[in-house]
Amino acid sequence: MFGRERIELKSPEQMLLMRRAGLVVADAHAAVRAAVAVGVTTAELDAVAAGVLAEAGAGSSFLGYHDYPAVLCVSVNDEVVHGIPGERELAAGDVVSVDFGAVVDGWHGDAAFSMVVPGAVDDGDDALVATTQAAMWAGIAALATADRLGVVGEAVEDVVDAAHEAGLNAGVRYGIVEDYVGHGIGTQMHQPPDVLNYRTRDRGPRLRPGMCLAVEPMLVRGEQESDVLEDDWTVVTRDGSRAAHWEHTVALHEGGIWVLTSPDGGAEALAALGVQVAPLG
Ligand code: MF3
Ligand code: CO
């Protein structure tokens, strides 16, 4: 389930290098978000992100990773993750998930956001995006005080349960995608441990200062089962329901937690959950 491979622990100095990658990711997110509009192609969004990398003199975590052909993943509607940018034009009301990773001096940052293309926003899709974002922050907040990594999945499930009790998604409990999980991150984009988004009996590895983790829940409006398309990348829901994906890279250090891919380190979102962030440097 969680695996028990060796986890790379980072020094505060190494976390500061990861912060540089994280801020490039944040810049790219802002630029791509601003570029999302009706008629824009997903390849155009990829070009915007590539421009941010070039300007920063940073590398892409994704380009060439198992031969992945772009710097961005853009996943639309029933696409969950790993959508390859191309000639598809965005339409009003599309649910767009954007995932981007940067590497600076050998240290990675990785984050994702979802949004609905303005023009014809469906309240149900809006709620999907907001609930997935809330699930991510709840998972991150749980890391601040917990002793085991399993708290992330518990927090995600709690947010999904609360949304269900509040009657969101027409009474259908959001599915939590299980085929893809969060991960350790540092000198490689994907490292141990797996960060599960669902509850298990195994409470997971012990949380330690020096861990850097990508927390990335994926929620869907129907069943959680997914398939990979013929392109060998694009992950879609089996039932065609729409999906959202949010991700941040989080550092755990002696003083607390710090969200490396958020410009404010996660301060605002986590304060709302009663957690004070602890920036380094
Ligand atoms: N960023 C994704 C993740 O969150 C991985 C992207 S796969 C790639 O783990 F091939 F595009 F790099
Ligand atoms: Co990731």
Side-chain angles (χ1 to χ4, degrees):
M1 244 176 289
F2 279 98
R4 285 291 188 273
E5 307 99 308
R6 211 184 71 83
I7 296 171
E8 178 182 84
L9 297 179
K10 287 79 172 173
S11 68
E13 293 71 28
Q14 291 169 332
M15 288 179 179
L16 283 164
L17 291 173
M18 289 182 66
R19 173 65 166 169
R20 290 173 53 203
L23 290 177
V24 174
V25 173
D27 281 350
H29 276 203
V32 172
R33 181 184 276 281
V36 167
V38 173
V40 170
T41 69
T42 56
E44 285 167 340
L45 298 181
D46 188 68
V48 167
V52 172
L53 280 180
E55 189 131 331
S60 169
S61 303
F62 294 9
L63 183 67
Y65 179 84
H66 295 278
D67 295 326
Y68 187 73
V71 303
L72 207 63
C73 296
V74 187
S75 308
V76 182
N77 295 338
D78 63 324
E79 298 172 357
V80 182
V81 285
H82 303 169
I84 301 174
E87 296 315 307
R88 180 180 189 152
E89 288 184 13
L90 298 178
D94 279 350
V95 176
V96 185
S97 298
V98 171
D99 193 349
F100 178 81
V103 54
V104 173
D105 287 343
W107 295 90
H108 292 262
D110 184 12
F113 69 91
S114 292
M115 64 183 287
V116 182
V117 179
V121 178
D122 172 79
D123 286 345
D125 289 336
D126 225 19
L128 169 73
V129 168
T131 304
T132 309
Q133 184 180 23
M136 174 194 66
W137 284 116
I140 293 169
L143 292 172
T145 50
D147 64 334
R148 295 276 178 180
L149 185 56
V151 293
V152 172
E154 290 165 12
V156 171
E157 296 249 21
D158 286 348
V159 168
V160 167
D161 284 338
H164 188 43
E165 274 154 36
L168 295 187
N169 203 32
V172 177
R173 187 183 190 269
Y174 292 120
I176 302 172
V177 173
E178 295 183 9
D179 293 337
Y180 302 86
V181 297
H183 48 93
I185 178 168
T187 54
Q188 296 162 297
M189 171 172 61
H190 286 156
Q191 298 182 321
D194 287 345
V195 181
L196 308 189
N197 294 308
Y198 49 92
R199 195 176 265 119
T200 62
R201 294 176 66 106
D202 181 355
R203 297 188 54 240
R206 189 174 293 283
L207 296 172
R208 296 186 191 286
M211 287 184 176
C212 292
L213 302 166
V215 175
E216 52 175 320
M218 289 143 265
L219 300 186
V220 304
R221 295 189 65 180
E223 301 291 331
Q224 68 86 18
E225 283 76 14
S226 66
D227 293 302
V228 179
L229 295 185
E230 294 273 283
D231 64 13
D232 282 340
W233 282 103
T234 312
V235 177
V236 296
T237 56
R238 190 164 297 166
D239 66 5
S241 62
R242 291 185 167 198
H245 175 213
W246 280 83
E247 174 179 22
H248 270 306
T249 296
V250 184
L252 279 56
H253 61 88
E254 294 286 353
I257 68 169
W258 190 28
V259 182
L260 299 174
T261 42
S262 180
D264 76 347
E268 191 180 336
L270 290 171
L273 298 174
V275 171
Q276 192 156 355
V277 291
L280 289 168

